[in-house]
């Protein structure tokens, strides 16, 4: 459940300006996220934009060209700002529009802001150059950078009164975040390799002869790269199936938002599965018209109803 949200008409001019800034950041930088949140009512859309803008700031620190010690210092500065927001110490006259918007959103919705601390922890893992031996190891990272975002978003969405199994909604939101992050990892495997990062578990790489990495547009000699990708795709599909149990617990427009974002990533996963080696040649993406189609399906309830029927059949 969520608290009654302050009407946008009653928000002060500085707060509205801060939200507009966050929405501009989201529209310019969120390739897939923006398609989903467009389906939300204004208060929820603005709150989600504030969450995105803060998360984008954290990600940009980790991905930037600064020295590692500078990155660590800036991440800790961002954590200190988050502590101020949590303590309700950021006023409407603050000069940081992201902080103003997020502070307002946190007063309006029960957002578990500790999830943003987890995001900072995950980006610090990137700065340290951590690698992952097993899927269980990688899940820790994915929960920080994506599962936490799912739980934060659920704070904005809320669950429907009387929704069956709603106590497990944070778990499903977390799992859906893992599904999206694993899809991202597959999509960006070449880009990450060029940046010196490897996310896929070392155990999986060794199993399919891919321990040499992905520095070229072709798989390593003797590697079963397609086998590796198909193995990870099956893992991601299982995560999507579990995470989709969240959808029937949400109101129509929140469910449409989640269905749109998850639907875009599932279609991306389909493309990767059909042509695994494409991810070694460049970033695989969906055209805008296909993303818009998925969003319309979500708003019409087609994907939500389909998932709800499958969920009911599994429980029967």
């Amino acid at each position: 459940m969520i608290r009654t949200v302050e009407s946008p008409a009653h928000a002060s001019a500085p707060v509205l300006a801060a939200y507009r800034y966050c929405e501009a950041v989201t529209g310019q930088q969120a390739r897939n996220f923006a398609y989903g949140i467009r389906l939300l009512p204004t208060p929820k859309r603005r709150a989600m934009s504030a969450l995105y803008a803060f998360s984008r700031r954290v990600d940009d620190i980790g991905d930037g060209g600064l020295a590692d010690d500078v990155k660590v210092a800036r991440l800790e500065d961002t954590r200190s700002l988050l502590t101020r927001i949590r303590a309700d110490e950021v006023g409407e006259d603050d000069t940081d529009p992201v902080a103003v918007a997020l502070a307002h959103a946190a007063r309006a919705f029960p957002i578990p802001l500790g999830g943003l601390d987890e995001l900072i922890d995950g980006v610090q893992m990137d700065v340290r150059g951590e690698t992952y031996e097993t899927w269980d190891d990688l899940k820790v990272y994915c929960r920080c950078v994506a599962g936490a975002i799912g739980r934060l978003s659920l704070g904005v969405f809320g669950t429907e009164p009387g929704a069956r199994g709603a106590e497990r909604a944070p778990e499903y939101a977390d799992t859906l975040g893992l599904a999206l992050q694993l899809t991202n990892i597959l999509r960006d495997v070449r880009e990450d390799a060029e940046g010196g990062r490897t996310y896929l578990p070392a155990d999986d790489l060794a199993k399919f002869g891919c321990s040499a990495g992905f520095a070229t547009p072709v798989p390593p000699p003797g590697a079963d790269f397609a086998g590796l990708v198909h193995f990870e795709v099956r893992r991601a599909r299982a995560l999507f199936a579990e995470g989709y149990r969240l959808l029937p617990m949400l109101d129509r427009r929140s469910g449409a938002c989640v269905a749109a974002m998850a639907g875009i990533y599932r279609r991306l996963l389909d493309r990767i599965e059909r042509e695994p080696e494409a991810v070694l040649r460049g970033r695989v993406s969906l055209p805008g018209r296909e993303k818009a189609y998925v969003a319309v399906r979500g708003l019409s309830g087609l994907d939500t109803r389909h998932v709800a029927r499958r969920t009911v059949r599994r429980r029967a």
Side-chain angles (χ1 to χ4, degrees):
M1 296 294 292
I2 60 174
R3 296 191 292 270
T4 300
V5 180
E6 179 180 339
S7 167
H10 297 154
S12 68
V15 169
L16 291 175
Y19 276 131
R20 283 195 294 272
Y21 175 85
C22 292
E23 289 188 291
V25 170
T26 303
Q28 292 165 7
Q29 299 191 41
R31 294 183 178 90
N32 298 321
F33 186 80
Y35 279 88
I37 67 170
R38 288 174 187 169
L39 307 178
L40 294 170
T42 298
K44 290 185 179 183
R45 187 186 71 245
R46 286 177 171 162
M48 290 295 289
S49 293
L51 280 173
Y52 177 84
F54 190 93
S55 301
R56 181 76 264 166
R57 177 180 296 180
V58 175
D59 285 343
D60 285 347
I61 293 171
D63 292 337
L66 300 171
D68 287 350
D69 59 338
V70 178
K71 289 182 180 181
V72 170
R74 291 200 176 181
L75 288 170
E76 288 307 319
D77 287 344
T78 307
R79 196 190 298 275
S80 297
L81 173 60
L82 181 59
T83 299
R84 290 179 54 222
I85 293 171
R86 189 183 292 111
D88 204 15
E89 295 175 353
V90 174
E92 295 179 359
D93 58 348
D94 195 281
T95 57
D96 185 339
V98 176
V100 171
L102 183 58
H104 184 271
R107 289 191 292 268
F109 295 92
I111 300 172
L113 291 176
L116 291 170
D117 275 307
E118 293 180 57
L119 174 62
I120 293 170
D121 291 341
V123 173
Q124 287 179 329
M125 294 167 75
D126 280 336
V127 173
R128 293 194 298 266
E130 292 196 16
T131 56
Y132 308 96
E133 290 296 316
T134 67
W135 167 238
D136 284 342
D137 295 334
L138 180 58
K139 274 196 295 188
V140 174
Y141 170 78
C142 291
R143 285 211 160 94
C144 285
V145 299
I149 302 302
R151 286 177 268 118
L152 287 158
S153 300
L154 183 62
V156 176
F157 297 146
T159 56
E160 284 281 79
R164 184 179 178 185
E167 71 279 357
R168 297 191 66 183
E171 173 190 335
Y172 296 142
D174 183 279
T175 301
L176 200 52
L178 264 64
L180 269 58
Q181 185 62 24
L182 183 53
T183 303
N184 272 338
I185 288 171
L186 289 172
R187 179 196 65 188
D188 298 339
V189 66
R190 174 74 189 284
E191 182 179 321
D192 289 333
E194 290 175 343
R197 294 177 182 172
T198 300
Y199 290 101
L200 290 174
D203 283 358
D204 296 351
L205 297 177
K207 179 179 179 180
F208 293 95
C210 295
S211 298
F214 311 106
T216 66
V218 296
D224 181 10
F225 182 72
L228 171 67
V229 170
H230 291 153
F231 178 79
E232 303 298 349
V233 165
R234 288 193 296 273
R235 175 176 280 154
R237 289 195 190 285
L239 293 168
F240 273 115
E242 182 72 8
Y244 265 36
R245 290 173 179 258
L246 175 67
L247 291 183
M249 302 175 186
L250 306 178
D251 66 63
R252 176 176 175 267
R253 290 176 72 175
S254 296
C257 172
V258 175
M261 288 190 286
I264 288 169
Y265 275 86
R266 286 200 64 167
R267 283 174 176 257
L268 184 61
L269 198 64
D270 290 341
R271 290 198 171 202
I272 292 171
E273 182 181 38
R274 286 196 299 269
E275 192 179 357
E277 292 185 16
V279 299
L280 295 178
R281 298 191 293 270
R283 174 172 287 204
V284 177
S285 63
L286 301 183
R289 64 181 181 277
E290 188 169 351
K291 294 178 183 179
Y293 169 75
V294 175
V296 169
R297 279 182 61 89
L299 188 59
S300 69
L302 290 174
D303 286 340
T304 306
R305 289 196 298 270
H306 175 64
V307 171
R309 286 195 297 270
R310 290 196 309 174
T311 301
V312 169
R313 285 199 298 270
R314 283 197 298 265
R315 288 173 176 167

